[in-house]
Amino acid sequence: MDDLRDKYITAIAGAADEAALEDLRVQAVGKKGEVSLKMRELGKMTPEERQVAGPALNALKDEINSALTAKKSALADAALDARLKDEWLDVTLPGRGRGQGTIHPISQVTEEVTAIFADMGFAVAEGPQVESDWYNFDALNIPGHHPARAEMDTFYMARAEGDNRPPHVLRTHTSPVQIRSMQEHGAPLRIICPGRVYRSDYDLTHTPMFHQIEGLALDRDISMANLKWVLEEFCRAFFGLDGIELRFRASHFPFTEPSAEVDIRCSWEGGTLKLGEGDDWLEILGSGMVHPKVLEAGGIDPAEWQGFAFGMGIDRIAMLKYGMPDLRAFFESDLRWLRHFGFSALDTPTLHAGLNR
Ligand code: PHE
């Protein structure tokens, strides 16, 4: 028994890892281990012999088991120590220096617009960029044969072979979020939705992906006058100009009735754009009173509720405000452009601190 003890206690002390330790456990106290076999021999002994050998074997078994447990936790501690040493990180090291990255003008302008509308009680809503054709078109009173579908240069998603359901689209505008918000929250409702939209188009002022901000306000007696006030108030705050002048030009959208496109007064004298003066007009958004069919698609009773909606190009108003002539540069990741037109991460737009630099 002493030999057994020496053999296993020494071996356990010298075990290199958990696997070796487990082998030793099986050899010694496993079902067919040496100590277990010895215990089985107890039955063949005389009662006197058994009285001595029994307790001694039990004690040996206990001793080996506790040696195993102790070694196991020692091995675990050592492994943890090694890891801690290995993965040590000096969090007091200096950072990488300031002013390396900048906030993209799109992000900045989105924050600016959101701050202004939040101040007027609009909540921010979101919707998916891959949209069903129902949300992107039908629910907005654009049926399958409607020319607006073709005009929008839609990107269609591929369906699996043999799947004849209408394909999903990359949303061509943020207007589907009108429907989703109505379905989710009902009326009254006041939301804006900034986000990415997609159309197959590419030139100085068009990129296949661009950004819009949708606005929707529903209540019992909202009128075109409220729309006009909200948009003028927005433009004054956004461009930081009291003398801003807007022109509401009759237009057509399937999802609003009546509809108006909104232009802002500007001048191009000397080749530079000036807002709020001059004899030119620049279109900045589409708007109108929400069509009753659109309210119905959103589950809202048009006999009880009405409201206005508008959709504005974020990239476009960013170009106007910060004098960036080529939209394509927005998405080329040219570091010189990003450093020149980017914003400091600490420059968070708020109304009280001032939106306009
Ligand atoms: N969805 C329209 C567009 O992308 C803009 C719009 C939104 C017009 C809401 C009217 C009302 O051109």
Side-chain angles (χ1 to χ4, degrees):
M1 227 179 271
D2 282 342
D3 287 350
L4 270 181
R5 172 184 296 109
D6 283 351
K7 177 176 161 189
Y8 282 110
I9 298 299
T10 316
I12 288 169
D17 53 31
E18 272 204 48
L21 210 55
E22 176 60 11
D23 282 347
L24 286 169
R25 191 191 64 77
V26 174
Q27 274 176 46
V29 295
K31 254 195 195 147
K32 289 182 182 157
E34 276 191 280
V35 178
S36 313
L37 292 179
K38 280 259 177 303
M39 287 177 119
R40 247 178 256 168
E41 285 169 19
L42 287 172
K44 294 182 219 149
M45 292 179 185
T46 65
E48 292 75 25
E49 285 172 328
R50 206 181 299 144
Q51 245 174 28
V52 182
L57 272 173
N58 268 325
L60 175 59
K61 190 179 167 193
D62 287 347
E63 195 181 338
I64 290 176
N65 271 328
S66 29
L68 284 165
T69 313
K71 182 66 181 178
K72 195 169 172 181
S73 77
L75 282 174
D77 285 350
L80 183 62
D81 276 347
R83 236 186 102 190
L84 285 174
K85 233 186 227 155
D86 214 36
E87 298 176 8
W88 182 83
L89 188 73
D90 186 356
V91 294
T92 67
L93 278 175
R96 291 194 183 171
R98 283 155 181 264
Q100 296 269 329
T102 57
I103 303 294
H104 196 282
I106 295 290
S107 305
Q108 184 79 7
V109 165
T110 303
E111 289 297 325
E112 292 175 8
V113 174
T114 306
I116 298 168
F117 281 107
D119 192 58
M120 293 194 266
F122 286 75
V124 175
E126 275 183 325
Q129 293 172 46
V130 175
E131 190 54 284
S132 77
D133 70 333
W134 188 82
Y135 278 106
N136 196 79
F137 295 121
D138 300 78
L140 291 162
N141 194 30
I142 314 175
H145 54 80
H146 199 284
R149 287 208 189 193
E151 271 165 33
M152 279 198 171
D153 305 310
T154 312
F155 286 113
Y156 291 91
M157 309 292 291
R159 281 256 186 232
E161 188 123 6
D163 186 340
N164 293 323
R165 288 172 301 167
H168 278 59
V169 302
L170 290 179
R171 68 178 177 194
T172 57
H173 50 180
T174 42
S175 300
V177 184
Q178 285 189 35
I179 307 293
R180 290 182 176 274
S181 302
M182 288 184 217
Q183 288 178 331
E184 198 176 332
H185 304 292
L189 187 61
R190 225 183 296 174
I191 54 122
I192 52 164
C193 165
R196 294 184 173 171
V197 300
Y198 303 83
R199 291 179 205 176
S200 177
D201 209 350
Y202 189 69
D203 61 30
L204 203 68
T205 52
H206 296 90
T207 49
M209 185 278 297
F210 60 107
H211 301 79
Q212 284 189 335
I213 190 152
E214 191 82 7
L216 174 67
L218 300 179
D219 214 318
R220 291 178 200 281
D221 53 5
I222 284 192
S223 75
M224 213 68 186
N226 301 116
L227 170 67
K228 190 158 184 275
W229 183 86
V230 163
L231 290 178
E232 279 172 356
E233 205 62 13
F234 164 76
C235 285
R236 237 172 251 138
F238 179 75
F239 292 110
L241 285 173
D242 278 338
I244 240 54
E245 201 181 326
L246 296 184
R247 177 173 78 176
F248 284 67
R249 188 165 32 81
S251 181
H252 174 79
F253 298 103
F255 31 90
T256 45
E257 181 60 40
S259 304
E261 280 176 296
V262 178
D263 306 330
I264 189 164
R265 185 187 284 281
C266 67
S267 107
W268 287 102
E269 253 184 44
T272 51
L273 174 69
K274 274 211 183 114
L275 296 176
E277 53 189 80
D279 297 320
D280 278 320
W281 295 93
L282 224 139
E283 185 199 320
I284 56 165
L285 61 91
S287 66
M289 297 302 291
V290 181
H291 197 291
K293 281 193 182 161
V294 173
L295 292 172
E296 267 165 14
I300 286 176
D301 181 2
E304 200 178 337
W305 304 96
Q306 58 185 29
F308 65 73
F310 59 86
M312 189 159 45
I314 294 180
D315 322 67
R316 192 176 176 88
I317 59 170
M319 289 167 81
L320 288 179
K321 178 167 177 179
Y322 295 109
M324 299 172 282
D326 186 346
L327 179 61
R328 293 170 297 195
F330 278 53
F331 311 113
E332 279 167 0
S333 303
D334 181 332
L335 277 178
R336 290 162 306 173
W337 188 92
L338 289 169
R339 288 200 182 111
H340 183 74
F341 288 112
F343 292 81
S344 155
L346 300 175
D347 185 12
T348 313
T350 57
L351 289 184
H352 59 271
L355 288 179
N356 305 292
R357 303 187 306 174

